[in-house]
Amino acid sequence: MNPNSNVLTNQPSAAQRNGRPSSADIEKKGCLEATVLSVYDLPFADRPLAVTVSSCGMTVKSGPPIARHKDRNSYRFAAGGGSSVSSGNNSVGSTSPDTLKLVAPLQDLYKSMLTVRVVYADTKQYLETDFSLRQLRIHENKWLILNLTPTPSTTTSTTTSQALTPSSTGTAPSLPEEDSMAPSPTIRIKLKLSGPYRPEIAALVGLAQAWFGVVDKMEEKTKSTLGKAPKIPNSKLL
């Protein structure tokens, strides 16, 4: 799987082919919203190109970081990065400029693992982390700080090449070790898992919304009626 491209599985709807996500599809299925906030203490001097999030056979990619920390090898992504929504064979636009969306059945998303990867120009520098979406509560935002490690395939290929190449200095570490006390690389990300309610819950929610709608209309009519009623003169003036 190429992390630099959107890898999609389902056929897009007409709304998606026209460049906009279908709210009906999101309501009927499910949606994972991921907002990449920042990455901290990266072990490489090179600037990362983007961050990808993958789940249920789909991958979407953010834009490049928008700012670098002045004292640390850290970058900020949110508020201005690229975005995309994944739900078919094409990527479609998102309503928020820094939110990535994966659209799939809620039960599939909830059972899956989310892979978050920091992408560099050199694939050997890729960093990633996995997160079980079972830890999320439906319709609630979750702010996370996750530790990053080298991509397994990259580490394996590097180890294999080192094993075939004689070296008097021994095996090189996967990450540069300029300082053994250096903090581990991390990523700050906000996740939200949403989807349709169960039929009985959806019925209760719909009933509650209808009830509050009636109450609001009655309150508006009452205020309007009272506003038109004649005012009672002040007793002191009688």
Side-chain angles (χ1 to χ4, degrees):
M1 180 184 297
N2 183 2
N4 289 312
S5 62
N6 291 321
V7 182
L8 311 167
T9 56
N10 302 324
Q11 291 294 329
S13 64
Q16 293 163 354
R17 286 193 296 269
N18 290 333
R20 290 189 177 184
S22 170
S23 58
D25 284 347
I26 294 177
E27 291 177 0
K28 292 178 181 178
K29 294 183 179 181
C31 180
L32 174 68
E33 299 181 21
T35 303
V36 181
L37 304 174
S38 58
V39 288
Y40 272 73
D41 304 311
L42 300 178
F44 307 110
D46 297 337
R47 185 185 184 92
L49 301 179
V51 171
T52 65
V53 293
S54 305
S55 183
C56 295
M58 299 176 293
T59 299
V60 286
K61 182 174 64 174
S62 75
I66 60 172
R68 185 183 188 279
H69 195 282
K70 62 179 181 180
D71 298 323
R72 305 169 64 178
N73 192 27
S74 306
Y75 297 86
R76 182 161 60 90
F77 278 83
S83 70
S84 55
V85 180
S86 172
S87 178
N89 290 330
N90 294 297
S91 170
V92 293
S94 170
T95 56
S96 176
D98 54 5
T99 300
L100 306 176
K101 293 185 179 181
L102 292 172
V103 179
L106 180 60
Q107 59 181 359
D108 294 341
L109 286 170
Y110 187 72
K111 296 176 182 178
S112 67
M113 294 292 293
L114 179 71
T115 299
V116 182
R117 178 175 295 167
V118 180
V119 177
Y120 287 87
D122 186 353
T123 57
K124 295 180 180 179
Q125 296 179 333
Y126 284 4
L127 301 171
E128 70 175 40
T129 185
D130 292 326
F131 179 79
S132 174
L133 295 180
R134 289 179 179 270
Q135 301 179 57
L136 298 180
R137 292 186 177 181
I138 311 301
H139 300 291
E140 289 188 12
N141 288 319
K142 182 78 170 181
W143 284 264
L144 299 167
I145 300 177
L146 304 174
N147 291 323
L148 296 167
T149 58
T151 300
S153 58
T154 303
T155 305
T156 302
S157 60
T158 303
T159 304
T160 303
S161 62
Q162 290 172 346
L164 297 176
T165 305
S167 175
S168 59
T169 58
T171 303
S174 300
L175 295 176
E177 295 185 354
E178 297 178 357
D179 184 358
S180 59
M181 300 300 292
S184 300
T186 56
I187 183 168
R188 273 74 168 167
I189 189 169
K190 182 180 72 172
L191 300 177
K192 181 181 180 181
L193 192 59
S194 58
Y197 293 104
R198 289 182 296 177
E200 59 272 20
I201 298 178
L204 290 175
V205 171
L207 182 61
Q209 291 176 342
W211 166 253
F212 285 117
V214 172
V215 171
D216 290 340
K217 289 182 179 179
M218 292 179 61
E219 184 180 1
E220 291 177 1
K221 290 182 178 180
T222 302
K223 289 182 178 179
S224 177
T225 302
L226 292 176
K228 296 178 181 179
K231 296 181 179 180
I232 300 176
N234 194 331
S235 59
K236 293 182 179 180
L237 300 178
L238 297 178

